[in-house]
């Protein structure tokens, strides 16, 4: 039964993506790409979540990030001394166990950038993607770049042509950035939710973003327009680059910690007010009821739709970290308990930057490089969030079909 519901849900989410454009001519042009991308997503989901090869790949990736988390623990223990026990296995405060790895992974990304390894990988994968996505080379390059170095940092690589990008191309670049996540925070995710769903979401979202933009924001490019751009080459020394990326990682940690403190506190305040006014029904309970139909369409078991809907809404209005906390011991009342399929759908949905705060982050980054483009992104901010959220729904639905 859940397969039928999931297929219906997939059709509904695709229809919602098509609704803003309603361009039947472009739909006929883009349909082969859309169908190919959807088929590729299903195949990749099966490969990653249902086969021994996929599990082996995920175990290797999780092992690498686990090692990096261990190295981060050594650094935290050195700086904070007796406050943190490296062998405590998660008993230390959340900022040390989950957020500290961001600094280490950010430093590693800086090293790989300095060695010119990441630019080669990004350009290679982007070139392959451009052949199957139905969008331009620049958009494909940007999608891979966003998934590696982050939704705002990757704009630096295209800053020379950013001022001249028309709104439709700017939308695609921004939507793919919001649909992915930066490699620097993947380790933090893996301390809160299952690594296999983190990896699956990252891979599927990369292709899902092109499915949505081909429906919501379709366009064709001439050969003259379909050009890419060489990434900006840094002339800094090795230690300058590593120091810069370490400090960037530290800024991310502080930003995430500050957002968690603020959002969790505000959420608790709203829950208290609503529970007092509505006789025990909290603000998050209402969010769960509002998102119940959407959770149902992804294939979530009916008894869990309100719980998963609450997680989806929490992520949308705050950020993914706040929602992911519900799966940890740090959650008020303990971790949320869901079935295997409910867990798979909820956790894959959470792995993206699709939330209100990301609109400001992307628009602000663009504004610092090209002020008029930053204003343009802010103008289509809600449409951007709409598209990126549909990417998460499509990914979660596909995962629900194969789990």
């Amino acid at each position: 039964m859940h397969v039928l519901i999931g297929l219906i849900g997939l059709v509904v989410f695709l229809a919602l993506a098509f609704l803003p454009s309603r361009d039947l001519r472009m739909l006929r042009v883009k349909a082969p790409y859309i169908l190919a991308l959807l088929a590729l997503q299903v195949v990749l989901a099966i490969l990653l979540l249902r086969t021994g090869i996929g599990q082996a790949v995920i175990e290797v990736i999780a092992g690498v990030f686990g090692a990096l988390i261990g190295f981060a623990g050594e650094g935290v223990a050195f700086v904070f001394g007796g406050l943190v026990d490296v062998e405590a296995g998660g008993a230390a405060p959340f900022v040390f166990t989950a957020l500290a790895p961001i600094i280490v992974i950010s430093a590693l990304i800086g090293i790989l950038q300095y060695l010119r390894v990441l630019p080669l990988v990004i350009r290679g994968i982007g070139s392959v993607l451009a052949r199957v996505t139905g969008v331009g080379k620049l958009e494909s390059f940007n999608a891979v770049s966003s998934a590696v170095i982050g939704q705002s940092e990757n704009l630096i690589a295209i800053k020379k042509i950013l001022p001249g990008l028309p709104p439709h191309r700017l939308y695609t670049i921004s939507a793919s950035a919001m649909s992915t996540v930066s490699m620097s925070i993947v380790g933090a995710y893996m301390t809160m939710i299952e690594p296999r769903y983190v990896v699956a979401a990252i891979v599927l979202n990369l292709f899902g973003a092109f499915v949505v933009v081909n429906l919501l924001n379709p366009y064709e490019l001439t050969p003259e327009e379909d050009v890419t751009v060489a990434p900006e080459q840094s002339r800094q020394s090795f230690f300058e680059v590593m120091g810069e990326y370490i400090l960037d990682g530290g800024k991310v940690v502080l930003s995430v910690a500050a957002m968690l403190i603020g959002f969790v506190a505000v959420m608790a305040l709203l829950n208290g007010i609503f529970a007092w006014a509505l006789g025990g029904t909290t603000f998050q309970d209402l969010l769960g009821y509002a998102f119940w139909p959407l959770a149902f369409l992804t294939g979530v078991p009916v008894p869990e739709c309100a719980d998963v809907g609450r997680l989806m809404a929490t992520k949308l209005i705050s950020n993914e970290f706040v929602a992911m906390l519900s799966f940890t011991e740090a959650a008020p009342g303990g971790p949320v308990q869901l079935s295997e399929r409910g867990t798979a759908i909820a956790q894959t949905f959470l792995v993206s930057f699709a939330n209100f705060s990301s609109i400001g982050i992307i628009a602000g980054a663009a504004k610092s490089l090209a002020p008029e483009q930053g204003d343009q992104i802010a103008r289509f901010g809600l449409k951007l969030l709409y598209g990126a959220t549909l990417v998460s729904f499509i990914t979660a639905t596909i995962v629900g079909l194969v789990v």
Side-chain angles (χ1 to χ4, degrees), residues 91-106:
F94 177 80
V95 68
F96 298 140
T97 58
L99 300 187
I102 293 174
I103 298 174
V104 178
I105 297 172
S106 182

Side-chain angles (χ1 to χ4, degrees), residues 26-188:
M26 285 303 301
L27 178 61
R28 287 190 288 269
V29 173
K30 298 294 185 180
Y33 294 105
I34 294 168
L35 293 174
L37 288 167
L38 287 170
L40 185 56
Q41 283 183 289
V42 173
V43 170
L44 288 171
I46 294 172
L47 180 64
L48 288 170
L49 300 174
R50 296 294 296 270
T51 69
I53 295 175
Q55 292 301 310
V57 169
I58 289 173
E59 286 177 7
V60 170
I61 296 173
V64 170
F65 280 101
L68 293 174
I69 290 170
F71 299 146
E74 294 290 343
V76 169
F78 176 80
V79 172
F80 293 97
L83 290 177
V84 181
D85 181 3
V86 177
E87 306 297 330
F94 177 80
V95 68
F96 298 140
T97 58
L99 300 187
I102 293 174
I103 298 174
V104 178
I105 297 172
S106 182
L108 181 60
I109 290 173
I111 293 171
L112 294 176
Q113 283 277 66
Y114 176 82
L115 297 174
R116 303 291 190 264
V117 174
L118 281 187
L120 287 175
V121 172
I122 291 170
R123 184 170 294 279
I125 298 176
S127 298
V128 174
L129 278 180
R131 299 177 183 273
V132 299
T133 59
V135 299
K137 296 175 183 176
L138 176 64
E139 288 87 337
S140 299
F141 162 82
N142 175 83
V144 182
S145 178
S146 299
V148 175
I149 62 176
Q151 63 178 343
S152 55
E153 293 87 345
N154 74 299
L155 292 176
I156 297 173
I158 60 171
K159 68 179 182 180
K160 288 186 177 180
I161 64 172
L162 183 63
L165 286 176
H168 56 277
R169 299 191 75 184
L170 187 63
Y171 178 88
T172 297
I173 286 173
S174 301
S176 61
M178 189 181 283
S179 301
T180 56
V181 295
S182 168
M183 284 294 111
S184 64
I185 64 173
V186 168

Side-chain angles (χ1 to χ4, degrees), residues 138-311:
L138 176 64
E139 288 87 337
S140 299
F141 162 82
N142 175 83
V144 182
S145 178
S146 299
V148 175
I149 62 176
Q151 63 178 343
S152 55
E153 293 87 345
N154 74 299
L155 292 176
I156 297 173
I158 60 171
K159 68 179 182 180
K160 288 186 177 180
I161 64 172
L162 183 63
L165 286 176
H168 56 277
R169 299 191 75 184
L170 187 63
Y171 178 88
T172 297
I173 286 173
S174 301
S176 61
M178 189 181 283
S179 301
T180 56
V181 295
S182 168
M183 284 294 111
S184 64
I185 64 173
V186 168
Y189 291 164
M190 289 183 177
T191 65
M192 294 184 283
I193 62 178
E194 294 187 37
R196 60 178 179 152
Y197 298 135
V198 175
V199 176
I202 291 171
V203 174
L204 298 184
N205 283 350
L206 186 63
F207 296 100
F210 295 116
V211 171
V212 170
V213 297
N214 276 328
L215 289 167
L216 194 153
N217 181 53
Y219 56 87
E220 293 181 289
L221 298 174
T222 65
E224 293 75 22
E225 292 173 320
D226 189 16
V227 296
T228 184
V229 60
E232 292 289 309
Q233 300 295 320
S234 173
R235 297 188 178 184
Q236 296 172 294
S237 69
F238 172 80
F239 290 105
E240 286 177 319
V241 171
M242 189 168 70
E244 178 181 317
Y245 274 81
I246 288 173
L247 290 176
D248 286 343
K251 293 174 185 177
V252 172
V253 169
L254 291 176
S255 297
V256 173
M259 286 192 295
L260 284 174
I261 292 171
F263 278 120
V264 171
V266 170
M267 198 68 70
L269 173 63
L270 290 174
N271 283 338
I273 293 174
F274 276 78
W276 172 77
L278 301 178
T281 301
T282 67
F283 176 66
Q284 286 179 294
D285 289 334
L286 294 178
L287 291 177
Y289 300 141
F291 272 68
W292 194 101
L294 296 173
F296 175 75
L297 287 173
T298 62
V300 174
V302 172
E304 299 175 347
C305 284
D307 289 332
V308 174
R310 182 167 61 249
L311 293 171

